[in-house]
Amino acid sequence: MSEEWGISRVGKLEVEVGETLQEAIIRLQILPLPPVAWTDCFLQTVRGHQVTITGTETHPDKIEAVARPAEVEDVVGRIDSAIENANAYVKKVVHSRRQAAGRDVKSAEADERQKLQAELD
C-alpha cells in the first residue's frame, strides 16, 4: 500500500427525491473496494455526523444515504469527511502494523546472528 493509497468518490453523484418529497436519497460510489477496517471506521464516523446510511452491505463500494432535500450538500460534505477520516485511520493502522512487522523481522535477524555467533564461539 503506497503513501498515496486512499478510498475516494468516483463517478457521478446521484440524488433522487423520495416519494414524500421530505427526503432525498443520495447515491455515490467509492473505489477501490474498502477493507473491513475502513468500512467500520467510515460507518462509525458517519453515525457520529448523524448521517443515515441505508445501503452498503450488498455492495461495499456503493453508499446510499438519506437526507432532507435542503441538506443534501451538507450530508455529502459529512460523507466526504467520513471518507477522509477512514482513509487516515487505515493508513495509520497499516503503517503501525508495517513498523511492527519490520521490528519483528529485525529481531529475528538479530536472534539468528546471535545463534550463529554462539556456534562459531
Side-chain angles (χ1 to χ4, degrees):
M1 190 179 290
S2 73
E3 294 300 318
E4 298 302 314
W5 180 90
I7 303 289
S8 58
R9 279 197 294 137
V10 296
K12 225 174 148 179
L13 180 70
E14 294 179 35
V15 178
E16 177 183 310
V17 178
E19 291 178 21
T20 64
L21 302 178
Q22 297 298 314
E23 66 179 30
I25 300 166
I26 303 164
R27 291 185 187 95
L28 56 102
Q29 185 172 7
I30 55 172
L31 283 177
L33 284 174
V36 174
W38 186 94
T39 303
D40 290 344
C41 182
F42 171 78
L43 291 174
Q44 287 179 9
T45 303
V46 292
R47 277 188 214 116
H49 287 331
Q50 299 175 345
V51 174
T52 304
I53 299 292
T54 57
T56 56
E57 292 88 25
T58 310
H59 299 284
D61 62 328
K62 295 186 171 138
I63 297 170
E64 194 170 281
V66 177
R68 291 190 195 109
E71 297 174 343
V72 168
E73 192 173 318
D74 184 45
V75 169
V76 170
R78 292 177 189 183
I79 290 171
D80 287 342
S81 171
I83 289 171
E84 290 173 18
N85 186 51
N87 282 343
Y89 172 76
V90 169
K91 286 177 186 176
K92 180 179 176 183
V93 168
V94 169
H95 183 68
S96 66
R97 283 184 185 160
R98 282 191 179 158
Q99 283 184 331
R103 282 193 297 269
D104 291 345
V105 169
K106 289 176 185 172
S107 296
E109 288 174 352
D111 291 344
E112 187 65 27
R113 278 192 225 118
Q114 286 179 345
K115 286 179 189 176
L116 290 171
Q117 189 62 43
E119 289 174 11
L120 292 173
D121 291 341

